[in-house]
Amino acid sequence: ATLDQLIEWSGELGSDITFFLSRGTAYCTGRGEIMTPIDPPLPSGAKLSIVKPDLGLSTPMVFKALDYDQLSAEDPQLLCDTFLNDGVVETDDKYYINDLEQPAFDCLPELKALKEELLQVKGFDHVMMSGSGTSIFCIGQPEDMESFMNDFDSRTGVSVFNAEFINREEGSWFEAP
């Protein structure tokens, strides 16, 4: 099958499946099934942490709490262009928009408290909830990794995953470093 055929079929399997056929970075719309490949905005090896509380939060619950009058009026394509032109790290926090953050925080106030704590960690350039929650991603690397891990990963009910961005060349699959 061609890549285009795989992308078409993947949308029928699940909302975000299409992304895994990208080069590691894509602009996804719809439920996540409409994918436009983009050049990687961060180099392979760029650091990030994913902080995942062991709290469940159903997507339907988040959407039920969503105030549609409060949705961002920003054009998603313009936001994408801003990230690509200005750089992910250099882009101002005001462009990091997730309309599902506030309703998720309304459902789970402790999730908002966790994000506010993460915003205080020196070394993170940006901190934002992923999708409808409950994972929070932090771009950058804590200046004091040992202290960060002691403060967050040692907590009961919280897991921390330190990771690096990976990208692949057009027409190739990921290879072990």
Side-chain angles (χ1 to χ4, degrees):
T2 68
L3 180 59
D4 288 338
Q5 288 172 316
L6 291 173
I7 290 170
E8 183 180 336
W9 297 336
S10 68
E12 297 173 20
L13 295 174
S15 294
D16 299 329
I17 303 298
T18 307
F19 174 77
F20 294 99
L21 299 172
S22 74
R23 290 179 45 211
T25 310
Y27 175 61
C28 300
T29 56
R31 300 178 332 271
E33 82 283 8
I34 303 168
M35 181 185 74
T36 304
I38 59 174
D39 288 333
L42 289 169
S44 287
K47 307 292 186 195
L48 77 145
S49 296
I50 301 168
V51 180
K52 172 71 173 94
D54 295 339
L55 298 168
L57 187 59
S58 76
T59 301
M61 181 187 297
V62 173
F63 274 92
K64 185 175 181 182
L66 179 63
D67 180 350
Y68 286 86
D69 292 332
Q70 298 299 312
L71 291 175
S72 170
E74 296 289 335
D75 178 347
Q77 184 62 57
L78 289 176
L79 291 173
C80 181
D81 292 344
T82 299
F83 285 106
L84 293 175
N85 294 330
D86 296 351
V88 170
V89 172
E90 294 79 12
T91 297
D92 191 277
D93 276 339
K94 70 180 181 181
Y95 294 105
Y96 280 79
I97 298 170
N98 179 350
D99 286 321
L100 300 179
E101 255 191 4
Q102 189 56 53
F105 294 164
D106 292 344
C107 293
L108 285 174
E110 54 268 54
L111 189 59
K112 180 178 183 178
L114 179 60
K115 179 184 176 183
E116 288 172 354
E117 284 185 81
L118 291 165
L119 285 167
Q120 300 306 310
V121 175
K122 290 185 180 359
F124 286 144
D125 299 303
H126 302 283
V127 174
M128 184 176 184
M129 188 183 77
S130 177
S132 60
T134 58
S135 295
I136 298 174
F137 68 90
C138 311
I139 298 175
Q141 184 174 16
E143 289 178 7
D144 184 348
M145 181 62 83
E146 184 177 345
S147 176
F148 169 71
M149 294 303 287
N150 286 336
D151 288 348
F152 291 93
D153 195 47
S154 64
R155 293 182 188 184
T156 300
V158 175
S159 298
V160 175
F161 305 94
N162 294 308
E164 297 180 358
F165 281 87
I166 57 172
N167 304 303
R168 66 179 176 87
E169 296 299 318
E170 189 73 40
S172 69
W173 292 101
F174 292 105
E175 297 176 12

